[in-house]
Amino acid sequence: MKIIGPFSQIVTMQNLALKGALVDDRLHIIEEGGVCINDTTIKEVGKYADLVEKFRGAESEVITNPSVLLPGFVDCHTHICFAGNRNADYASRIAGKSYLDIAKAGGGIWNSVDQTRQATEQYLTSSLLQRVEQHLHNGVTTTEIKSGYGLNVEDELKMLRAIQQASLQTHSSLVPSCLAAHTLPKDFPGNHQAYLHFIIQDLLPVVRLQGLAKRVDIFIEESAFQPAAALQYLNVCRDMGFHVTVHADQFTTGGSKVAVEVNALSADHLEASTEKELQMIANSNTVAVVLPGASMGLGMPFAKARKLLDLGACVAISTDWNPGSAPMGDLLMQAAVMGASEKLTTAETFAGITCRAAHALGLHERGVIVPGFRAHMQAFPTHDYRDILYYQGTMKPCKVWA
């Protein structure tokens, strides 16, 4: 057992509603606080002096400088298992070409597929670990990671095994998702519906048998899969025992409706969502995951996070970190910048990258500093929690516990 503190402030994120707008007055803050942990679990949170008195003889980790303690961040949508980069795509985009134009010209997702197929499992594991450790250093203690750059049985399994191997070599929690339905492979001898059937018949049974992922994702878009086929696919995946999530409404609408119909854990992107789609999501149990990194990388408007919250949605914020449309991968910076643009409160922004992001992954034992939850925490070098967003992501944690 160990007592850690004192912290100038502990922002526990306790007792916040999972859906709808949040005011900063709802933030539960403990001044001069401490945390007692037992192995990997939080045992008690309170005034540091009270914990020292109550747990006499416990090991101590004394914090000597002013620090604010937050839960570890949760990045609930990433594509950080990949090889190569797409700097040529980025140069074309900032020169005026659209994402869809680049994809049709041979760039886009298929570029990453080519490079990832050529990479070894060992290379994918080591390069993934570097990104995971960078994230962990910046306070992200839980990271969802998708496959989707293999697009055949051999290379999708290679990606998922790399994620599994990386998870054994880091203190960070990694959550794999099978995104074999990312786009129709150029070398597949059939149409979109035949490819989805192929995934169901030949890939997902192996994924389930080998315990490589419990989540399935699909990209519903003009350049990927149409809503009707995606709905059928996700229903089968759910019947197989997988949790489902959806890339929805990035460029055109249709995906969010599918997500709500299949009761997906989350609908991610939503940049193209209209009032109709936003209201539909807000009235559902599906988490709206907004991805400021994709908007920044593509030069597009942010998803309407303010509107979603005001309508009553559960809004999580994630990076979409990937080699093409969102190469930055800095969760706090992206959340802070989007929060300023969308006029999100501090409570809404913090919730979007902690407890609400954990909810998007179906993880209910992290994202809040309370007894019984995982001891995923981070300390920032300040005495006032408001500094963290004020510096727009340039203030980084001085210590991370995972």
Side-chain angles (χ1 to χ4, degrees):
M1 197 158 55
K2 179 190 289 187
I3 299 170
I4 308 172
F7 298 99
S8 304
Q9 296 173 323
I10 300 177
V11 185
T12 69
M13 305 304 293
Q14 185 177 3
N15 297 328
L16 292 177
L18 276 174
K19 297 187 69 175
L22 296 169
V23 295
D24 291 344
D25 288 349
R26 295 293 299 167
L27 287 173
H28 180 236
I29 298 172
I30 301 173
E31 308 279 351
E32 295 302 312
V35 179
C36 180
I37 64 171
N38 189 6
D39 194 18
T40 61
T41 305
I42 298 169
K43 181 175 179 62
E44 194 162 331
V45 185
K47 293 287 188 181
Y48 178 73
D50 294 343
L51 294 180
V52 171
E53 178 66 23
K54 182 175 181 178
F55 298 103
R56 290 185 179 183
E59 181 184 353
S60 294
E61 183 175 340
V62 179
I63 306 300
T64 56
N65 296 318
S67 299
V68 170
L69 190 71
L70 283 180
F73 294 148
V74 177
D75 195 351
C76 60
H77 179 127
T78 83
H79 305 254
I80 59 173
C81 183
F82 63 85
N85 69 44
R86 278 154 51 193
N87 54 11
D89 287 12
Y90 187 82
S92 295
R93 276 202 307 276
I94 60 177
K97 291 187 179 180
S98 73
Y99 181 90
L100 294 178
D101 288 340
I102 293 168
K104 289 175 182 176
I109 292 168
W110 192 253
N111 186 307
S112 291
V113 172
D114 275 340
Q115 297 183 78
T116 302
R117 283 182 176 182
Q118 294 172 31
T120 65
E121 183 178 323
Q122 292 72 24
Y123 174 83
L124 291 178
T125 301
S126 63
S127 59
L128 170 58
L129 269 171
Q130 291 177 12
R131 299 179 193 110
V132 167
E133 291 303 307
Q134 178 182 331
H135 239 12
L136 185 59
H137 182 74
N138 289 335
V140 180
T141 54
T142 300
T143 302
E144 186 265 6
I145 306 170
K146 303 179 191 297
S147 66
Y149 295 133
L151 304 189
N152 59 35
V153 171
E154 177 185 357
D155 291 298
E156 284 291 306
L157 292 177
K158 178 178 71 176
M159 291 187 70
L160 291 169
R161 285 195 303 268
I163 298 168
Q164 186 180 67
Q165 286 302 308
S167 71
L168 301 175
Q169 301 175 52
T170 178
H171 291 290
S172 183
S173 290
L174 308 186
V175 180
S177 298
C178 182
L179 181 59
H182 202 175
T183 192
L184 178 67
K186 292 182 178 181
D187 55 356
F188 182 78
N191 61 19
H192 289 75
Q193 195 154 353
Y195 177 63
L196 293 177
H197 181 73
F198 162 75
I199 296 172
I200 291 167
Q201 290 293 114
D202 290 23
L203 175 61
L204 292 183
V206 182
V207 171
R208 183 176 56 182
L209 181 66
Q210 296 185 7
L212 293 173
K214 297 179 180 179
R215 294 164 43 89
V216 166
D217 196 351
I218 186 169
F219 188 18
I220 302 177
E221 193 51 68
E222 176 188 325
S223 61
F225 298 94
Q226 295 301 305
L231 177 62
Q232 185 178 16
Y233 171 74
L234 291 172
N235 277 324
V236 174
C237 293
R238 194 177 56 181
D239 290 343
M240 293 176 72
F242 289 98
H243 300 296
V244 299
T245 184
V246 178
H247 278 62
D249 298 1
Q250 183 175 14
F251 303 108
T252 58
T253 58
S256 56
K257 185 174 186 291
V258 172
V260 171
E261 286 185 12
V262 298
N263 196 29
L265 281 174
S266 67
D268 304 15
H269 274 294
L270 308 177
E271 294 93 339
S273 300
T274 69
E275 178 87 17
K276 175 184 174 182
E277 285 79 32
L278 300 179
Q279 186 70 67
M280 186 192 319
I281 295 167
N283 291 337
S284 75
N285 293 319
T286 297
V287 179
V289 178
V290 297
L291 303 170
S295 295
M296 296 166 81
L298 293 172
M300 294 173 58
F302 293 121
K304 301 175 182 68
R306 176 74 270 151
K307 184 68 172 178
L308 280 161
L309 288 163
D310 290 342
L311 289 171
C314 176
V315 177
I317 304 168
S318 187
T319 62
D320 194 24
W321 190 356
N322 71 72
S325 59
M328 182 205 297
D330 191 315
L331 179 58
L332 179 59
M333 181 175 290
Q334 292 172 19
V337 170
M338 189 190 77
S341 178
E342 284 290 301
K343 301 298 183 284
L344 306 185
T345 66
T346 300
E348 289 164 343
T349 303
F350 282 167
I353 55 180
T354 57
C355 52
R356 288 181 171 181
H359 185 63
L361 296 176
L363 301 175
H364 307 299
E365 83 299 5
R366 67 193 75 192
V368 184
I369 301 176
V370 294
F373 275 48
R374 287 201 180 190
H376 285 193
M377 309 179 298
Q378 57 181 318
F380 286 83
T382 179
H383 66 279
D384 188 331
Y385 74 92
R386 293 170 297 188
D387 282 342
I388 298 168
L389 295 183
Y390 172 67
Y391 289 108
Q392 296 188 305
T394 58
M395 176 183 285
K396 301 301 184 185
C398 53
K399 181 75 184 261
V400 179
W401 294 265

